[in-house]
Amino acid sequence: MTALIDLPARVLSRGPDATMALAEELVSVLRPGDVLVLSGGIGAGKTVFAKGVARALGIGADAVTSPTFPLHNIYEGTLTLNHFDFYRLRSEQEARDLGVDELADGQALTLIEWGDRFPAVVRPPYLHVDLELGETDDERWVSVRRV
Ligand SMILES: Nc1ncnc2c1ncn2[C@@H]1O[C@H](COP(=O)(O)OP(=O)(O)OP(=O)(O)O)[C@@H](O)[C@H]1O
Ligand SMILES: [Mg+2]
């Protein structure tokens, strides 16, 4: 917990449950309106992390999948969760058209998978959560920094 509050942090997750638990810890220090940009390759664990965020908000984690169509999912929990995925977008303009900023401007939490693809579209301040593969199939390095 303190490791995450003292950002930047780099934590080794040893499995999907641990990644979800890390996400839940992070949510405990977030405030309404906060934005999370998630990066990492295919299968890095961004959606697993999103499920942990959802669980922390009392949203059933099973409901959460990578938003493909529509590109934006909205879940209602103790806070509203805006869940975007920039993977399929072809241009920065398409990303702008999703209206991330307007949505991030309220009482909701916003989470953007592949949000690093069009960083100019996401207005700081936000938290950048990067997931990278570790040495074993179940290991992921989870880094969190403020932008
Ligand atoms: N430590 C870990 N943390 C998260 N996921 C893990 C971990 N170890 C193994 N996995 C597995 O890796 C996969 C991660 O899939 P996930 O859909 O979250 O990736 P993603 O980053 O969202 O990919 P995409 O860019 O395709 O949406 C899952 O099958 C999960 O079970
Ligand atoms: Mg995903």
Side-chain angles (χ1 to χ4, degrees):
M1 164 81 78
T2 45
L4 276 174
I5 293 170
D6 290 334
L7 299 176
R10 188 164 185 261
V11 180
L12 182 64
S13 160
R14 296 186 189 280
D17 291 345
T19 296
M20 287 179 68
L22 278 169
E24 287 188 84
E25 286 183 13
L26 187 61
V27 170
S28 72
V29 299
L30 296 182
R31 284 169 301 192
D34 280 351
V35 176
L36 298 173
V37 166
L38 268 57
S39 65
I42 290 170
K46 298 177 295 298
T47 300
V48 168
F49 192 94
K51 287 173 183 283
V53 170
R55 192 165 70 185
L57 299 176
I59 300 161
D62 290 346
V64 176
T65 54
S66 290
T68 45
F69 188 82
L71 296 159
H72 173 208
N73 287 334
I74 305 172
Y75 303 100
E76 296 299 340
T78 48
L79 295 175
T80 300
L81 175 61
N82 291 309
H83 187 190
F84 294 95
D85 193 327
F86 284 180
Y87 182 66
R88 283 167 198 277
L89 303 182
R90 283 160 300 181
S91 69
E92 191 171 289
Q93 189 56 47
E94 281 188 6
R96 279 189 206 289
D97 289 346
L98 292 176
V100 174
D101 277 351
E102 295 92 271
L103 286 158
D105 189 26
Q107 294 300 303
L109 284 188
T110 297
L111 181 152
I112 311 164
E113 295 192 37
W114 293 97
D116 59 324
R117 284 195 68 211
F118 301 110
V121 174
V122 191
R123 188 172 48 208
Y126 58 83
L127 291 175
H128 182 179
V129 179
D130 180 65
L131 295 121
E132 45 175 316
L133 301 183
E135 299 211 332
T136 71
D137 284 352
D138 285 340
E139 284 183 357
R140 301 290 189 276
W141 284 102
V142 184
S143 307
V144 188
R145 67 186 179 94
R146 297 181 198 281
V147 176

